[in-house]
Amino acid sequence: MLDMAVAGPEIARVLAPGGILAGLWNVMDDGVEWVAGLARISGSAAIGPRDTPAGWRAETADMHRPRKGAAARFGSPEQAEFPHGQLRTADSLVATIATRAGMLVLPDQEQQATLGRIRAFLASDPETARGEFTLPMLTGVLRVRRL
């Protein structure tokens, strides 16, 4: 995540007044029942607060605002979400989740237990149990205009 307290002043310095700053995040669409279940059993180390739409919206809504005492550099944010999907297998999804920062810092035993729960969940759900499936995703866009 970009630290706007550090990066914001420099971005504002090089961005012309009225210029646009936009950020993109790919999040899992937990509006789909099996994805919501996956998020529940995985834990925040695997699927964190910015990895689902509601969490992404909450985590990014005010990130453009300066800390107390600093001048505002950007106007009101606009957020939008665009649906898409990624073709996966249970093995490829588990392998991807295993590379997330929260997972990499877990003690090995906890990491293996979490990945085991994820594998078991994917093996038990009819939508993900056999072969390829589409992981429902949303690309979240946050856009602000420089003042």
Side-chain angles (χ1 to χ4, degrees):
M1 174 71 78
L2 186 64
D3 183 349
M4 286 297 286
V6 176
E10 184 63 12
I11 293 169
R13 185 184 71 77
V14 299
L15 191 62
I20 300 292
L21 170 64
L24 305 172
W25 288 259
N26 284 312
V27 298
M28 295 182 188
D29 186 356
D30 64 348
V32 175
E33 187 176 329
W34 75 262
V35 179
L38 176 65
R40 277 192 302 278
I41 64 98
S42 295
S44 63
I47 300 177
R50 288 185 310 266
D51 295 328
T52 58
W56 170 78
R57 284 189 291 274
E59 291 280 322
T60 61
D62 292 329
M63 74 178 294
H64 69 291
R65 296 185 195 277
R67 293 193 176 140
K68 290 183 180 178
R73 294 179 172 89
F74 300 97
S76 298
E78 298 175 61
Q79 292 177 321
E81 297 164 3
F82 303 91
H84 64 97
Q86 293 179 347
L87 196 57
R88 295 293 190 155
T89 65
D91 288 340
S92 72
L93 183 53
V94 170
T96 297
I97 290 172
T99 67
R100 292 177 169 237
M103 291 296 293
L104 294 172
V105 299
L106 287 178
D108 190 54
Q109 189 173 12
E110 191 176 345
Q111 184 184 66
Q112 293 310 313
T114 301
L115 295 174
R117 280 195 317 273
I118 294 168
R119 276 189 198 92
F121 175 84
L122 294 171
S124 71
D125 191 284
E127 292 195 51
T128 59
R130 283 188 260 161
E132 293 182 331
F133 56 89
T134 298
L135 173 63
M137 304 282 293
L138 296 170
T139 295
V141 180
L142 174 71
R143 181 173 89 161
V144 292
R145 186 175 305 276
R146 181 172 175 305
L147 298 174

